[in-house]
Amino acid sequence: MMWVLLPTNTYKHKWLPKLKSRFSSNYFGKQGVMMLIFTFPPLLVAVLSCVYLHLAAKLKPTAKKSDDEEKETRVLATWRKPMLVKGPLGIVTGIELAFLVMFVVLLFWSLFTYFSSSFKSIDATDPAFLGGLKKWQLKLDLGGLWLGLVGNICLTLLFFPVARGSAVLQFFGLTSEGSIKYHIWLGHAVMTFFTAHGICYIVYWALMGQMSQMLKWSRSEISNVAGEISLLAGLGLWATTFPRIRRKMFELFFYTHYLYIVFVVFFVFHVGFTYACYMLPGFYLFLVDRYLRFLQSRRHVRLLSARILPAAGQTLELSFSKSPGLKYSPTSVLFLNVPGISKLQWHPFTVTSNSSLETDELSVVIKGEGKWTKKLYEMVSSSAAADHHFDVSVEGPYGPASTDFLRHETLVMISGGSGIAPFISIIRDLIFTSSHLQLKTPRLILISSFKTTADLAMLHLLLPITAASSAATANLRLTIEAYITREKQAAATSPFHNNNVRTKWFKPSPTHAPISPILGPTASWLWLAAVVSSSFLAFLVIIGILTGYYIYPEGKKSGELGFPMALTAFLYMLVLCACVAAASSGAFLWNKRKSIRNVEGATPTAGGSPVGGGAVYEMTEELESLPLRTIEEATNLHYGVRPNLRKLLVEYCTEGGSTGVMVSGPAGLRHEAAAICSSGLADDSLQFESISFSW
């Protein structure tokens, strides 16, 4: 698709003249053709991706793949093996490395082409025709220009990874949380090129004695002031993204990231809307996604209960009411906002429930590891919390379009601390697969590291506490290797008992609603395709009318009017936002009206909990003991040591068949497992997959 995004010679010299001859009317103006050519193909791919995902969701899982599918899976598994483990890029697979190398080659090839062609023409020019300028001065001027053009190539792709509900990511088998690293790579590249672009021009103006150019805001050409404001906003945003600052001052990082609005708006003022069409498709999809998330987050959701684990770990499981039509895949992520803590902050948490096994509830596990999560734990665990409404807003859930755990004979899940959360959803998904779909599930090996015995309470959350789900675990081949790293010996009593796990039920509010799909439960991808296509079509029609009858009216040439470029860009951006808002709001309200009858459902109960007022109670022994016995029987405890991953992986991969290795937790744990899987220790039988979300 790069020929769509970049002005190649074939496009420039062959297709563009033909299109201009076909669409020469003032209705679209000179901007209209460029806008249509550079935005339509990527948006068409997005729409077709929605249709594909809608059709793929109707396919039922099969227990056995064909030989061709198995061969294709083995080839892909080879490319998905980690090639780079440590370093600034983190864990990089073979596929990622191949595309990264091609993209870097593209950037250097573009730079080389721009520089060599322009510098040769300058060297061949008679000094008398240079207007009194020296050749090195012209080279510095053009060098700054070319650096900005190459930076725009990176900007073209910058917003695709952060459109959480975009069909493009899921069409290529990517998830929003897994694509964050691509956004980080591209962000560093964008700011590196744009900073070099700005420095070149500042040095050029200083050497030429033209520093007044920094205050220039032209009506019909490049606006220097707008570019400087955009660059300063980008630098302010960029400075807080480095790991040390981001981890120590997360709130500073979070709030300064809103500077992207200033960055994009003044970038468009700087270069004009026509040239900004290179980056428009990615930003357009991000804008649609962001507005839909805004609509979803306006209403508070119904918090049903909280399972509060011992205070030492400050861990709790929040359960929300959800509509039965909301479906999601294991390892999905839900973003939470608690206005009582912060009205602006949104934090991602892995969904631990299964949408098929628990049709009316959606659960997330939260461990108190920062200021926000510790404050949430204090609010939920306080005795008065259940006596009033608990306001929570959500965005999501977001996750992979599909998962295929059945392709493995053995599934090894390695976690550290709260990294066990995504594996809870996987285990519950395989419970449903074995009990309801009657399919053979892989053998499950869970290797978990905990600091203290109290943290073992996390294992309480592996299985839903219902008799039906506990009976379904009989066919689940689960082995747990639990490592207690900061304690040397076992306690006198079993660590699985007397953990004081409490369940607190919250008072329902008539204004709180279950979590439901943004665009309906049955055809959400088709609705998203309709939003993207209809909003873009309306945008083209409106700007065509605006251009033909206001900016460049009939009977006047574009050069005669001298309409301000910045005002044109502002009008186009305003129309763009209005079209997205109108189409998204219409689709959202239509689906909300259809599902309004299911909003007020009965509050799910468990273990005889009261319906209505809040209450705190201990789980009944009869109900709680069912999953506890299953977990205790499957667990091997190890004290005072860390897991020897190399030994364990060799042991489990020698059992034959494909072994999937999934890791969630600290970076060191993920790097160690990735290094083992990429070392060729067990040929291609170990297939690595890292699960992490890093801002």
Side-chain angles (χ1 to χ4, degrees):
M1 283 199 317
M2 295 310 299
W3 71 272
V4 175
L5 304 175
L6 301 175
T8 61
N9 289 332
T10 302
Y11 161 75
K12 184 182 296 183
H13 298 298
K14 182 177 179 181
W15 295 107
L16 188 57
K18 291 184 178 180
L19 291 166
K20 285 184 176 180
S21 64
R22 290 288 186 91
F23 302 98
S24 58
S25 171
N26 281 341
Y27 180 76
F28 281 107
K30 60 181 180 180
Q31 293 93 346
V33 175
M34 295 286 291
M35 192 182 309
L36 188 63
I37 294 306
F38 288 109
T39 55
F40 176 73
L43 293 182
L44 178 62
V45 171
V47 171
L48 295 179
S49 298
C50 291
V51 176
Y52 170 82
L53 292 172
H54 174 76
L55 297 176
K58 295 181 176 296
L59 299 179
K60 297 181 179 180
T62 57
K64 183 67 176 177
K65 289 186 176 182
S66 65
D67 293 338
D68 291 339
E69 290 176 326
E70 289 289 349
K71 183 178 179 180
E72 182 180 355
T73 300
R74 288 194 295 270
V75 173
L76 288 176
T78 303
W79 279 94
R80 287 172 180 166
K81 290 184 65 174
M83 296 296 179
L84 300 178
V85 176
K86 296 182 179 180
L89 299 181
I91 301 173
V92 181
T93 65
I95 295 177
E96 293 172 337
L97 184 61
F99 278 96
L100 179 61
V101 170
M102 287 190 290
F103 187 70
V104 171
V105 169
L106 170 67
L107 297 182
F108 279 100
W109 175 81
S110 301
L111 273 178
F112 174 79
T113 303
Y114 289 145
F115 275 83
S116 62
S117 60
S118 60
F119 287 0
K120 286 180 181 178
S121 62
I122 292 176
D123 291 335
T125 304
D126 190 328
F129 293 96
L130 294 180
L133 296 177
K134 297 180 180 179
K135 291 183 178 180
W136 68 266
Q137 293 172 335
L138 283 177
K139 290 182 179 180
L140 181 61
D141 185 10
L142 289 174
L145 174 63
W146 303 142
L147 288 169
L149 292 177
V150 175
N152 196 51
I153 298 175
C154 303
L155 184 62
T156 300
L157 304 175
L158 181 65
F159 289 96
F160 281 102
V162 289
R164 298 172 190 163
S166 170
V168 176
L169 291 179
Q170 299 202 25
F171 176 77
F172 289 103
L174 302 173
T175 60
S176 59
E177 64 274 12
S179 302
I180 287 296
K181 62 181 179 182
Y182 309 140
H183 177 71
I184 295 173
W185 297 350
L186 290 166
H188 288 312
V190 166
M191 291 313 305
T192 299
F193 283 111
F194 281 177
T195 302
H197 166 74
I199 291 175
C200 282
Y201 274 104
I202 292 175
V203 172
Y204 173 75
W205 292 328
L207 294 176
M208 297 295 295
Q210 300 176 354
M211 291 302 292
S212 60
Q213 288 289 326
M214 294 187 65
L215 303 178
K216 179 182 177 182
W217 190 304
S218 175
R219 285 177 55 88
S220 58
E221 297 177 355
I222 295 296
S223 172
N224 296 336
V225 175
E228 292 152 12
I229 296 175
S230 178
L231 180 59
L232 288 175
L235 289 174
L237 186 156
W238 190 28
T240 62
T241 60
F242 294 92
R244 290 185 179 180
I245 299 177
R246 185 180 72 243
R247 292 168 185 168
K248 292 182 179 180
M249 295 179 287
F250 178 80
E251 290 188 2
L252 177 64
F253 158 78
F254 182 86
Y255 292 123
T256 54
H257 235 64
Y258 284 104
L259 287 173
Y260 80 87
I261 301 173
V262 180
F263 173 79
V264 171
V265 170
F266 281 90
F267 171 80
V268 177
F269 287 158
H270 175 56
V271 300
F273 196 86
T274 304
Y275 186 77
C277 288
Y278 290 113
M279 53 80 67
L280 181 62
F283 187 73
Y284 193 93
L285 296 177
F286 169 78
L287 192 63
V288 171
D289 176 75
R290 187 66 190 87
Y291 188 74
L292 288 174
R293 285 156 42 196
F294 168 79
L295 293 176
Q296 185 189 25
S297 64
R298 288 309 86 198
R299 191 171 187 180
H300 293 148
V301 297
R302 182 178 299 164
L303 176 62
L304 299 176
S305 64
R307 293 172 68 187
I308 305 171
L309 275 60
Q314 292 194 337
T315 302
L316 52 87
E317 180 187 48
L318 299 181
S319 295
F320 301 92
S321 174
K322 83 170 185 70
S323 63
L326 176 62
K327 301 295 181 181
Y328 49 86
S329 301
T331 70
S332 293
V333 172
L334 186 75
F335 285 76
L336 297 185
N337 170 262
V338 181
I341 302 177
S342 173
K343 293 183 179 180
L344 294 179
Q345 286 193 37
W346 291 82
H347 291 260
F349 299 98
T350 304
V351 178
T352 55
S353 55
N354 179 264
S355 58
S356 299
L357 193 64
E358 300 151 281
T359 57
D360 297 321
E361 291 187 29
L362 184 149
S363 304
V364 296
V365 171
I366 302 173
K367 187 173 183 179
E369 295 180 329
K371 293 181 180 180
W372 192 91
T373 52
K374 288 180 179 178
K375 180 65 176 179
L376 178 63
Y377 182 86
E378 293 174 1
M379 293 176 60
V380 173
S381 59
S382 65
S383 58
D387 297 330
H388 60 80
H389 307 317
F390 202 86
D391 293 336
V392 182
S393 298
V394 302
E395 290 181 0
Y398 306 103
S402 61
T403 54
D404 188 13
F405 303 120
L406 302 182
R407 71 181 187 272
H408 301 297
E409 295 293 332
T410 304
L411 191 62
V412 180
M413 300 171 289
I414 304 171
S415 69
S418 58
I420 195 175
F423 301 140
I424 297 175
S425 64
I426 293 174
I427 290 175
R428 294 188 185 184
D429 179 70
L430 293 176
I431 290 175
F432 175 79
T433 302
S434 63
S435 60
H436 293 76
L437 302 182
Q438 304 298 319
L439 298 178
K440 181 182 177 181
T441 58
R443 181 187 177 189
L444 300 179
I445 311 296
L446 177 61
I447 304 172
S448 296
S449 296
F450 302 101
K451 293 180 180 179
T452 63
T453 303
D455 293 333
L456 283 173
M458 291 284 289
L459 298 179
H460 282 251
L461 308 177
L462 286 177
L463 306 177
I465 303 184
T466 62
S469 62
S470 299
T473 61
N475 297 328
L476 196 67
R477 298 173 294 165
L478 175 63
T479 301
I480 302 174
E481 302 289 347
Y483 290 81
I484 315 300
T485 59
R486 295 187 180 180
E487 295 181 5
K488 298 296 183 182
Q489 57 183 5
T493 59
S494 172
F496 292 96
H497 297 93
N498 301 321
N499 278 309
N500 298 321
V501 177
R502 298 178 297 154
T503 299
K504 179 176 294 187
W505 291 84
F506 295 92
K507 184 179 180 180
S509 170
T511 61
H512 292 180
I515 301 175
S516 56
I518 305 177
L519 296 176
T522 56
S524 59
W525 288 119
L526 294 183
W527 275 105
L528 180 59
V531 168
V532 173
S533 56
S534 62
S535 61
F536 184 66
L537 180 61
F539 169 68
L540 290 179
V541 172
I542 294 175
I543 62 128
I545 297 174
L546 187 67
T547 302
Y549 292 97
Y550 181 57
I551 298 178
Y552 301 123
E554 291 290 345
K556 285 192 176 183
K557 298 180 181 179
S558 59
E560 296 178 356
L561 187 61
F563 203 86
M565 187 174 70
L567 182 57
T568 304
F570 173 76
L571 292 175
Y572 283 4
M573 287 189 288
L574 186 63
V575 171
L576 176 69
C577 294
C579 292
V580 168
S584 301
S585 299
F588 176 80
L589 293 175
W590 178 267
N591 283 282
K592 182 180 179 181
R593 188 184 69 172
K594 289 196 303 181
S595 60
I596 193 91
R597 294 170 302 194
N598 300 324
V599 167
E600 298 298 333
T603 300
T605 62
S609 66
V611 179
V616 181
Y617 71 98
E618 304 295 335
M619 282 292 183
T620 60
E621 176 63 26
E622 179 182 1
L623 188 60
E624 186 184 14
S625 63
L626 289 172
L628 270 182
R629 292 194 196 104
T630 303
I631 294 298
E632 185 173 10
E633 292 170 359
T635 303
N636 300 318
L637 294 175
H638 309 271
Y639 288 88
V641 294
R642 297 183 180 275
N644 187 337
L645 295 183
R646 179 175 293 271
K647 178 181 177 182
L648 291 170
L649 290 177
V650 170
E651 176 184 344
Y652 290 120
C653 75
T654 54
E655 297 179 359
S658 171
T659 301
V661 180
M662 308 184 73
V663 188
S664 175
L669 184 68
R670 290 184 277 116
H671 292 165
E672 181 183 357
I676 296 171
C677 293
S678 62
S679 63
L681 189 64
D683 298 326
D684 294 331
S685 60
L686 289 178
Q687 300 180 18
F688 175 84
E689 182 175 351
S690 174
I691 301 176
S692 65
F693 193 100
S694 177
W695 280 35

